[in-house]
Each structure stands twice: as structure tokens, then as C-alpha cells.
Amino acid sequence: MNRTEFIVVTAIILFVAFMLGWFASWLIHRVTRVTQSDMGELDQMAQALHDAEEIRDQAITYQQQREAELTNQLTQTDAELRAAMEGLREARQEAEELRGYIERQSQHSA
């Protein structure tokens, strides 16, 4: 193989390599290209995600408010129960004292 043949074969090999690279680049670009409809779909998905996050935040806020209300109501109910139990305890003690007094009075008069 002389020098001219070597140059021609090298040029052909380089041209084929260039064509394969160009074809691979075109194929990758064609496969990974984002169409306008894909962009619209991505925008819709982003909007739906944003709406879902807002709804979630509202639900969390509502749940926290409701929990605070219920905790407050439970605290008030517990305080009322304690007051009622204390009143009942005092009423029982007073009833026992009155029974004792009545028994003493009945024993003295008999």
C-alpha cells in the first residue's frame, strides 16, 4: 500500500466515523426531544402538584386548629369533672355529718 492509498483509506474511515457520529447524535436528539405537548403535560402536572400541596397545607392547618380546639375542650371538661367530683365529695361528707348529727339527736331524745 502506497502513501496515496493509505491517505484515501484513512479519509474513508474518518468519513464513515463522522457519519456514524452524526447519525448517533441525530438519533439521540430525535429520541430525547421534548415536544410542545410534553411541555404542556409537564405544566399541568406541576400545577396539579402545586394545588395538591396547597390542599395538604390547608388540611394540616385545619387539623392543627381542630386538635387545639379539642385539647382545649378536653382540658375544660377535665376541670369541670374535677370540680364536680370535689363537690360530690363535699356533699357526701356533709351528708355523713348530717346523718351523724341526726343519729346523735335521736339517741339523746330516746
Side-chain angles (χ1 to χ4, degrees), residues 7 40 51 69 80 82 96 102 106:
I7 291 173
D51 294 343
E69 290 172 5
E80 290 172 2
R82 289 175 194 261
E96 286 296 320
I102 291 171
S106 65

Side-chain angles (χ1 to χ4, degrees), residues 5 50 58 60-61 69 72 77 100 106:
E5 291 174 347
H50 178 70
Q58 290 173 357
I60 288 172
T61 302
E69 290 172 5
N72 187 26
T77 304
S106 65

Side-chain angles (χ1 to χ4, degrees), residues 17-109:
F18 169 78
M19 290 303 291
L20 284 174
W22 178 84
F23 179 72
S25 172
W26 174 82
L27 187 62
I28 289 173
H29 176 72
R30 182 89 170 148
V31 169
T32 61
R33 183 176 60 185
V34 178
T35 63
Q36 191 64 28
S37 64
D38 291 340
M39 288 302 292
E41 188 177 336
L42 287 174
D43 287 341
Q44 288 176 351
M45 287 174 33
Q47 184 63 38
L49 178 62
H50 178 70
D51 294 343
E53 287 175 344
E54 283 184 9
I55 291 170
R56 183 205 61 200
D57 292 342
Q58 290 173 357
I60 288 172
T61 302
Y62 173 76
Q63 182 264 336
Q64 289 172 344
Q65 290 173 349
R66 187 69 179 140
E67 183 179 3
E69 290 172 5
L70 291 175
T71 301
N72 187 26
Q73 189 177 19
L74 180 63
T75 303
Q76 289 175 353
T77 304
D78 190 39
E80 290 172 2
L81 176 63
R82 289 175 194 261
M85 292 298 288
E86 183 65 29
L88 181 60
R89 191 174 300 116
E90 290 173 3
R92 284 181 181 164
Q93 184 178 3
E94 187 176 333
E96 286 296 320
E97 289 173 1
L98 286 173
R99 280 191 195 120
Y101 176 75
I102 291 171
E103 287 177 7
R104 285 191 302 274
Q105 291 297 327
S106 65
Q107 286 176 356
H108 288 298
S109 61

